Amino acid sequence: MQVPRTFLLTYCEFQPFLLQERVLFPFVDIRIYFPPANKDRVGVASCCNSSQSRLNFIPIWYIYSCVTPELCSFVLLSDMASDSVFVVAIDFGTSYSGYCFSLASGTDQIRQVFWGTEHGLKTPKTPTCILFDQKQEFRKFGYDAVMKYKSLPSSEADKWYFFQNFKMILYNMAGLISDIISEKLIIALEPEAASLWCKQLPQQGFITEASDKKKFEDSPGIQYIVVDCGGGTIDITVHEIQENHYLKELHKVSGGGWGGNRVDENFSAFLREIFDNGVWDKYVKDHPTELQHMMYNFSLQKCSASREAVYIRCYYNLTRVAESRKEISQFFREVTGAVWCDGMIMITYEKMKSFFEYSIKNIVGTLREILGKPEMAKVQYILLVGGFSTSIILRDAIHQAFSKKYHILCPMEAQAAVAKGAVLFGVNPKIIASRISARTYGVKVCTRFDAAIHDFSKRFVSKVDGLVYCKGIFKKLVGIEESVNINEVAEYIFHPVEPDQTSVRFAFYSTEKRCPQYVDEEGMELLGSCTVPTPDTSLGKKRKLRLDVKFGLTEFKATATDITSKQSRTVVIDFLTA
């Protein structure tokens, strides 16, 4: 596949207290891989860093979604060294993206960057859309890409490459964040970042209607659930406030693909029902620019704070294609919930709510399941964040289901809560005290063979002393859904199997099983390994090897040391790709 040039790679020179905004997302190198000309235009994106230049720049920090942690949901740029100047958070979302920043010395003034002013708009995010020309060269991003693409005549639009909702294609891509200096990289989780922003807001910082005029109480022992409502996914987690205002994760991240894009899909399916007999399909195929504008207008309407009918403009080509079959008002005669109104499609509020049913059913159901667990009995708040949470239909449904028992809060700047919270997190990453492990992690070991419990095929006999061992045993380091204290070190002592061993290999695995026995079981994944030299064999099997495991925010670091020779080796395992 042919790869175009990098479209956003520009090192942003900056002086103290000045960050020049002369590129959309500075420091980000995103490459789009195009399919052959005779294939459907489906893009695949990847990100990588470039070699450093003489310019002073801030290195890349990638931040991932909780439910689908393999997907890059936003990028946090910062320098952890003493010469830090800025902390910059870039929220790279499925539907919309944006960024904000502050001085690393403090977050009293987090600067929010607004988009679309040249198009008569002013929003904290811009559509996550990229446009390449006929030569497969980058031309526009965000609103600029949408406006340019929709202005192209149909005959030209087919020659251009317009990408949207491509973030989900980043799933499980190798080398997404390769070769980045680890000490300059922090990966934050969206609900954590959003909750950091919410818990420091005054009462006036929340939408009055949904907040019950209640301020979020930032006190030790307070438990709350965060619902991050994005375009692609809904991410849900539970936190407890610790001493010094640190956060402890009480429930592993859960959720699914029930975001705002589902509402768009249901609306599109409704239009296909109205404009039947192939009319809608022909319009979608022949007039993609008009379709893009129409769907974008609907996406704004679905997040309205109004409980009224919505009006969607019926564009010229849709009218023309429809009237080639019959008079357009005839399409609406047997339709429930929509009326033709002089060039506009009026959709009743009740019909509009029906587009939300799938998302609301799954969100409410998952919340009930989580909150119904005995360990969640002390939860007091439900925090709604993300652009989709600005919809009055979604908020009403959550309020109706849970307001009798919980305080439901939605910040005024719900769409920017993640990015602004990420800035707070970048300044003080230690504020996250613990997390719940999403998988079971362990190391491969050997143990004395027990015929009553061990698989005979894994039996082997020591070549020196004839002792019988079982190989490939999975020794659990941390179990799925167990709480992991950040930056605490656990110590384990091992001994060599053979007295003359001159090296020992430590291999680390993960699985979704709670109590696996062997490392070759179904679903087991090898994460990494390290081999420690053990050159002094004078103590034979009495030699000690110490394994120190330190769990960090998004990774664990395992250091194996041969006590006799003092030689050690370290391997770092990334939670987000494990």
Side-chain angles (χ1 to χ4, degrees):
M1 294 184 290
Q2 184 177 359
V3 182
R5 67 178 176 81
T6 298
F7 78 93
L8 287 177
L9 182 59
T10 302
Y11 289 124
C12 179
E13 298 181 71
F14 63 91
Q15 301 170 356
F17 311 106
L18 172 64
L19 179 63
Q20 299 179 12
E21 300 172 34
R22 55 187 176 86
V23 292
L24 295 173
F25 290 164
F27 328 114
V28 182
D29 176 358
I30 300 181
R31 304 178 186 273
I32 302 297
Y33 295 86
F34 291 92
N38 61 339
K39 300 294 183 181
D40 292 337
R41 293 190 294 175
V42 178
V44 179
S46 68
C47 305
C48 61
N49 75 307
S50 184
S51 59
Q52 298 185 3
S53 72
R54 61 180 179 82
L55 299 178
N56 189 9
F57 66 96
I58 305 175
I60 297 177
W61 289 10
Y62 287 84
I63 295 155
Y64 284 72
S65 162
C66 289
V67 171
T68 52
E70 299 84 358
L71 304 181
C72 180
S73 67
F74 63 93
V75 182
L76 182 63
L77 309 173
S78 184
D79 187 356
M80 295 293 287
S82 58
D83 60 349
S84 297
V85 178
F86 292 102
V87 173
V88 185
I90 299 182
D91 186 343
F92 177 40
T94 303
S95 301
Y96 294 91
S97 298
Y99 74 100
C100 59
F101 61 90
S102 77
L103 293 173
S105 58
T107 56
D108 293 339
Q109 292 185 342
I110 298 178
R111 180 172 177 183
Q112 176 70 61
V113 179
F114 291 94
W115 302 79
T117 54
E118 64 272 34
H119 305 293
L121 303 168
K122 187 180 180 181
T123 60
K125 287 188 177 182
T126 190
T128 308
C129 302
I130 306 175
L131 182 64
F132 293 83
D133 63 17
Q134 303 95 324
K135 297 180 181 179
Q136 300 183 357
E137 294 183 350
F138 168 75
R139 292 295 301 274
K140 304 288 183 181
F141 180 83
Y143 285 121
D144 292 339
V146 174
M147 299 304 179
K148 175 64 178 179
Y149 187 61
K150 78 177 186 65
S151 67
L152 294 171
S154 298
S155 59
E156 288 294 316
D158 194 50
K159 301 176 183 177
W160 288 60
Y161 296 86
F162 181 78
F163 295 85
Q164 61 181 346
N165 298 330
F166 57 84
K167 190 188 81 170
M168 306 299 278
I169 306 175
L170 297 178
Y171 177 78
N172 204 28
M173 292 189 65
L176 188 63
I177 54 173
S178 60
D179 301 325
I180 298 178
I181 302 174
S182 60
E183 62 267 22
K184 298 180 184 294
L185 173 68
I186 287 185
I187 304 174
L189 303 181
E190 289 181 338
E192 288 179 351
S195 65
L196 291 177
W197 178 250
C198 288
K199 75 188 192 73
Q200 54 86 49
L201 287 175
Q203 179 178 323
Q204 296 78 9
F206 295 97
I207 298 174
T208 304
E209 182 181 45
S211 70
D212 240 355
K213 297 183 178 179
K214 175 74 174 180
K215 180 187 182 298
F216 183 78
E217 186 178 352
D218 184 16
S219 303
I222 294 294
Q223 297 180 359
Y224 59 95
I225 192 165
V226 185
V227 187
D228 181 19
C229 307
T233 61
I234 303 294
D235 301 337
I236 303 173
T237 191
V238 184
H239 291 150
E240 179 180 284
I241 299 176
Q242 304 286 286
E243 296 294 334
N244 301 320
H245 306 285
Y246 285 8
L247 296 183
K248 176 182 180 180
E249 189 177 63
L250 298 180
H251 189 277
K252 73 172 184 177
V253 181
S254 56
W258 321 314
N261 291 350
R262 282 284 187 169
V263 179
D264 297 350
E265 293 170 6
N266 292 336
F267 169 66
S268 180
F270 180 57
L271 292 179
R272 180 173 282 104
E273 292 177 13
I274 296 174
F275 299 104
D276 55 3
N277 296 323
V279 171
W280 178 252
D281 291 333
K282 179 174 176 57
Y283 176 69
V284 170
K285 178 182 178 181
D286 295 345
H287 306 284
T289 54
E290 275 193 10
L291 173 65
Q292 168 63 30
H293 202 196
M294 188 176 189
M295 295 304 299
Y296 174 67
N297 287 340
F298 174 80
S299 70
L300 296 179
Q301 300 250 32
K302 76 173 183 239
C303 291
S304 169
S306 170
R307 299 181 181 88
E308 300 175 351
V310 300
Y311 291 82
I312 305 295
R313 177 187 169 190
C314 188
Y315 287 87
Y316 167 75
N317 283 307
L318 178 54
T319 304
R320 184 178 59 82
V321 173
E323 291 191 332
S324 67
R325 304 290 177 90
K326 58 184 176 182
E327 201 274 322
I328 195 167
S329 63
Q330 299 294 317
F331 285 92
F332 293 82
R333 280 196 167 183
E334 298 181 3
V335 173
T336 301
V339 179
W340 177 252
C341 297
D342 297 326
M344 305 286 284
I345 302 174
M346 188 276 284
I347 301 176
T348 65
Y349 185 62
E350 288 302 314
K351 188 62 182 180
M352 191 71 176
K353 288 198 295 185
S354 73
F355 300 148
F356 286 72
E357 287 179 356
Y358 175 83
S359 296
I360 289 173
K361 177 183 176 181
N362 282 280
I363 295 170
V364 171
T366 302
L367 285 173
R368 289 193 191 279
E369 180 182 351
I370 295 173
L371 292 170
K373 296 182 178 181
E375 59 269 29
M376 301 293 123
K378 295 182 180 180
V379 171
Q380 299 181 35
Y381 299 89
I382 297 177
L383 299 184
L384 302 177
V385 298
F388 190 32
S389 69
T390 61
S391 168
I392 193 66
I393 295 176
L394 177 60
R395 293 206 312 274
D396 279 351
I398 301 297
H399 201 268
Q400 182 177 357
F402 301 104
S403 62
K404 291 182 179 180
K405 188 174 180 180
Y406 306 97
H407 299 291
I408 301 171
L409 306 178
C410 182
M412 292 287 190
E413 299 177 296
Q415 195 176 23
V418 170
K420 289 192 172 184
V423 173
L424 300 177
F425 179 78
V427 172
N428 182 21
K430 295 181 180 179
I431 199 168
I432 307 299
S434 71
R435 283 184 175 150
I436 299 297
S437 180
R439 294 172 67 88
T440 297
Y441 296 87
V443 62
K444 178 181 178 181
V445 300
C446 295
T447 189
R448 293 289 292 271
F449 186 82
D450 184 342
I453 60 175
H454 291 145
D455 186 340
F456 189 80
S457 66
K458 301 181 184 302
R459 176 181 179 274
F460 77 96
V461 180
S462 170
K463 63 183 180 181
V464 176
D465 54 21
L467 291 177
V468 183
Y469 291 93
C470 182
K471 61 184 177 181
I473 295 291
F474 180 89
K475 178 176 176 55
K476 183 165 65 175
L477 301 177
V478 61
I480 187 171
E481 296 185 353
E482 287 184 9
S483 180
V484 179
N485 292 329
I486 305 302
N487 293 325
E488 286 191 4
V489 178
E491 181 182 296
Y492 305 87
I493 298 297
F494 297 92
H495 300 273
V497 174
E498 301 288 357
D500 59 350
Q501 275 185 251
T502 56
S503 66
V504 175
R505 180 176 180 262
F506 289 85
F508 299 90
Y509 292 79
S510 76
T511 178
E512 292 185 351
K513 294 182 179 180
R514 293 185 179 275
C515 297
Q517 189 173 8
Y518 303 108
V519 297
D520 60 356
E521 294 179 14
E522 184 179 359
M524 193 70 68
E525 180 181 357
L526 174 63
L527 305 177
S529 65
C530 63
T531 301
V532 184
T534 57
D536 186 349
T537 62
S538 59
L539 294 178
K541 291 185 178 183
K542 295 182 179 180
R543 290 174 290 163
K544 291 183 178 181
L545 294 105
R546 188 181 71 242
L547 181 65
D548 297 315
V549 180
K550 180 179 180 181
F551 288 90
L553 286 165
T554 56
E555 64 187 18
F556 73 82
K557 181 168 67 173
T559 300
T561 304
D562 175 31
I563 301 299
T564 304
S565 67
K566 308 300 183 185
Q567 295 203 45
S568 65
R569 295 292 185 273
T570 297
V571 62
V572 177
I573 305 298
D574 183 1
F575 282 149
L576 301 183
T577 57

